[in-house]
Amino acid sequence: MPVSAFLVLAGVLFAIGAVGVLISRNIIVLFMCVELMLNSANLALIAFSRALHVVDGHAFVFLVLTVAAAEVAVGLAMVITIFRNRETINIDRISILKW
Amino acid sequence: MTLDVAIFFISAIVAVFGATMMITVRNPVASVLYLLVSFAAQAVLFIQLGALFLGVVLIIVYVGAILVLFLFVVMLLNLRGGEDLGQPSRPMSRFSKYLIGALLLVELVFVIRGSAGGTDQTVTGMMGPVVETFGSVQDVGMLLFTTYLYPFELTGVLLLVAIVGAVVIAKRETEREAAQKKQLVEERGHSSEEKVS
Amino acid sequence: MAEYIYLVPLFPLIGFLINGLLLGRLPRAAVNFIACASVGLSFIVAVMLFFDLRALPEGQRVLEQVLFTWIPSGALQVNIGFLLDPLSAVMILVVTGVGFLIHIYSTGYMSHDPGFGRYFTYLNLFTFSMLVLVLADSFPFMFVGWEGVGLCSYLLIGFWFEKKSASDAGKKAFIVNRIGDAGFLLGMFIIFWQVGSLQFTEVMAAAPAVFAAGGALVTTVCILLFVGATGKSAQIPLYVWLPDAMEGPTPVSALIHAATMVTAGVYMLARSSVLYTMAPDALAVVAIIGAATALFAATIGTAQNDIKRVLAYSTVSQLGYMFLACGVAAFTAGIFHLMTHAFFKALLFLAAGSVIHGMSDIQDMRQMGGLKKYMPITFITMLLATLAIAGIPGFSGFFSKDEILWKSFSSSHGHILLWIIGFITAGLTAFYMFRLIYMTFYGKERMSDEVKHHLHESPRSMTLPLVVLAVLSVIGGWVGIPHVFGVTNHFEHWLAPVIAGPHQEAASHALAAAGSSAATEFLLMGLTVVLVLFSIFGAYMLYKKRPELSTSLAQKFSGLQALLVNKYYVDEIYGALVVRPIVTGSVFLWKIVDVLFIDGLINGFAAIYADISQVARRVQTGRIRSYATVFVLGVVAMVGYFLYW
């Protein structure tokens, strides 16, 4: 198996995640799309790590996982607060950023 | 077709299928479950690439913890897919977004090809054998606690801050706090009215 | 010695700061004490400095103290520095001495006014500014004091600002002074342009080398400076503000509008005497304006019925005398008259204030009369001051006025016509002053019963300054008894090092023609005295013996009477010629140019931007997905750029 096959797969998953961010109106799904994009990057990192025979990529992946976990924790807390105050998870309705 | 190739293609198809379904279904619960499927397939690919430790971590942390957290929130908010998500986007707008995604994919493929220059055997060529311990817990741990000790410790701080932040943000305010806030708002409104008059 | 000079203005400044910052929080007694003590302390320092200065050898009586550089701007170096020489020593003695007495007087006069804190704050600020004016060692720093006293004058004229006439008078004083200040500034600019410095010592030392004597430039400088002086010292054509300034409290009129501030112009001329002696044409202008003002204001003074207005026109007239003296290059005589005038005019105002205080704020002399027996101290002191201003031999005014008249006749810059004008004015002065005395203190008691019931002599705090000033009015002139009486003129001798002028020339002249000129001087002196006595007799006849005569006389010359009562209609003429066109022009500029054109232009641009922004704000939808779309599009574009270019 060539490493480039894994890289292309990572690119496909990344693109799917990006499209998901653009089209989803549910804020939780949007979050999951971001997770998907992060993980596709992880896949690419591991693939390169394998190709170059160095383990440093694994360390990066480990750090990315931690950051993703932290992001999810804070992000979901915000989702809960927003839902509590505005009774919606439709991000088109959460547009007060304009003012 | 060796076993290796078969595992890759099956996993890849499952991963892409899961991701696609995740962004298309309406029900958030289903979405989370499809993402779970996709992640599981990706964990298989991790292990295939020799990242044994990270594959297991992905299963345990992502599938076991984070996605459960998503599921938990979906359940908490009692979302069933019937929520008001407003008017669906116009087909033109939807199509343009797919187009942007496709463009991005094409570009990424070109980047992969270009970065390898099509000649680098380490990327385009078949993967060679690796040492037995590659990607083992010992191997990654060694690296994390020596070369990357400082970033590793920082992630600990990051997680702590994230926990505190999540608690503060999501905390429901007590009745006393709410009363105080209300009083404050009333006072301000009162004084501003006075100014106007 | 020199290092104490700054204390003189510092004390009133401290008093101003304490009273001003704690305004309304201090009890009346504390305010009074701080105000009087600060001026009293600076008077003590001034006396000490005077004796220090006297102890120095004659040619070296100049003390300078530079505290720090205020404006270090290239060639222009302006210091916060003080210059103490015989001239400024005289001035600080007058300012702090008379000022101290007037502060004490004010404690009595303002004892019923709720605004006493504000009053004393302003008064201390005024004293500080005036001391800065006379002690400054350069034109710009002097200008600071010059503007400071102008500000205080404005504040104190409009002290009772709830009265429209008072606030109007304040504004008038301020605006008229501005016109003069413009002249002062321009004069200063030319000096700096030519000399490259504004320090008095440097300018006066360099002037003979820089300016051609009698040249157009130095004449321009002198006339511009004199324009400044006409504003501050109320000379034709800018005298109109001073009579209106009588809206302020009477002690203020005494301090600012009689004794000190209005004499700043005379001081400035004396300070620049080196320049003036180099410009005979400018001197002639000064002399003519001074003489004309003296006569003009004296004639108006004869027909006024408001006791303070009579004194105001008298002040204008006496200031005219001082400028006449300066105009004939007899700066010493001008300063001498400044000093004696400060004594007796301050006394006159304070006595008038005492009368007004006793008369329950009535100022019209037609409602007074017979006050002699109710206010004996006020009467005696005021009579002494009147004798002094009228020029009865022996009193201070006699020596200074006679000095001026003699110099206007004998000086190389003098002229017989100037003497005649001064001579007539002396008669008029005696006439209107005794008219005031007779109308106020003698004759029938014309006030209402209620006023009469309250009639009383003023409290001790008011009469004490009157007595002190009366003594000074009598003996104050003895320091400057002219040579002709066979004694040394100490005052002239004292000022000689500072004042440029035809000293040597005059001295030799006097020696050469000693015989004949002494006889002439005695003759002229005798003539003046006779005229003064005659005028007093006239006033006695018209206002004491046969009051009906004055009314019939007024009816006979009703045209002239109306002209005088209405002050030659100068205010009306200025109103029509200057004020009205400016107001009309300003309204045009405001309504048409400013509101329509400038505001329209600015608002138009603002409206255009507002419209554009209405369109542009649509870019900001506030929707996360549209932002994300743009974001991803940007990533695509950038990756594309790096791939293909």
Side-chain angles (χ1 to χ4, degrees), chain A residues 1-4 9 19 25 32-33 35 39 46 50-51 53 55-56 62-63 65-66 68 81 83-84 90 93, chain B residues 8 42 45-46 49 58 62 84-85 88-89 101 122-128 130 139 143 148 152 159 169-170:
Chain A
M1 246 356 265
V3 173
S4 51
L9 176 63
V19 170
R25 285 184 304 254
M32 292 192 290
C33 290
E35 296 302 314
N39 211 48
I46 289 176
R50 174 73 165 83
H53 294 279
V55 202
D56 291 52
F62 189 83
L63 299 180
L65 283 179
T66 333
T81 314
F83 187 79
R84 192 184 290 150
N90 179 3
R93 299 271 301 277
Chain B
F8 172 76
Q42 286 177 55
L45 290 169
F46 278 23
L49 281 169
L58 192 71
Y62 250 105
D84 167 37
L85 289 177
S89 306
T122 56
V123 175
T124 52
M126 289 298 158
M127 294 186 294
V130 286
D139 217 6
L143 208 60
Y148 298 105
F152 179 74
L159 283 174
I169 291 170

Side-chain angles (χ1 to χ4, degrees), chain C residues 116-130:
Chain C
F116 63 97
R118 197 159 52 90
Y119 174 83
F120 281 110
T121 306
Y122 292 162
L123 217 53
N124 270 7
L125 179 62
F126 169 79
T127 312
F128 163 72
S129 307
M130 190 69 205

Side-chain angles (χ1 to χ4, degrees), chain C residues 160-179:
Chain C
W160 289 309
F161 53 80
E162 64 273 27
K163 206 162 68 174
K164 186 171 187 317
S165 60
S167 61
D168 281 352
K171 276 187 278 181
K172 187 173 178 182
F174 206 68
I175 292 166
V176 172
N177 267 303
R178 278 288 81 65
I179 300 170

Side-chain angles (χ1 to χ4, degrees), chain C residues 121-246:
Chain C
T121 306
Y122 292 162
L123 217 53
N124 270 7
L125 179 62
F126 169 79
T127 312
F128 163 72
S129 307
M130 190 69 205
L131 289 169
V132 166
L133 197 166
V134 296
L135 278 174
D137 68 343
S138 63
F139 279 105
F141 193 36
M142 183 195 199
F143 193 68
V144 172
W146 186 271
E147 290 301 311
V149 293
L151 169 70
C152 296
S153 162
Y154 161 75
L155 291 172
L156 283 165
I157 294 169
F159 181 73
W160 289 309
F161 53 80
E162 64 273 27
K163 206 162 68 174
K164 186 171 187 317
S165 60
S167 61
D168 281 352
K171 276 187 278 181
K172 187 173 178 182
F174 206 68
I175 292 166
V176 172
N177 267 303
R178 278 288 81 65
I179 300 170
D181 293 345
F184 190 166
L185 278 174
L186 289 174
M188 221 153 67
F189 294 160
I190 297 181
I191 291 174
F192 183 71
W193 170 43
Q194 287 296 316
V195 180
S197 168
L198 287 168
Q199 296 288 113
F200 288 135
T201 44
E202 289 172 24
V203 171
M204 298 314 159
V210 175
F211 294 109
L217 214 50
V218 70
T219 308
T220 315
V221 168
C222 288
I223 288 181
L224 284 172
L225 290 181
F226 179 60
V227 168
T230 57
K232 190 99 331 192
S233 295
Q235 296 297 294
I236 292 174
L238 299 179
Y239 74 93
V240 286
W241 65 271
L242 186 55
D244 288 2
M246 296 304 131

Side-chain angles (χ1 to χ4, degrees), chain C residues 258-270:
Chain C
T260 52
M261 184 192 88
V262 287
T263 59
V266 182
Y267 167 76
M268 195 247 287
L269 256 61

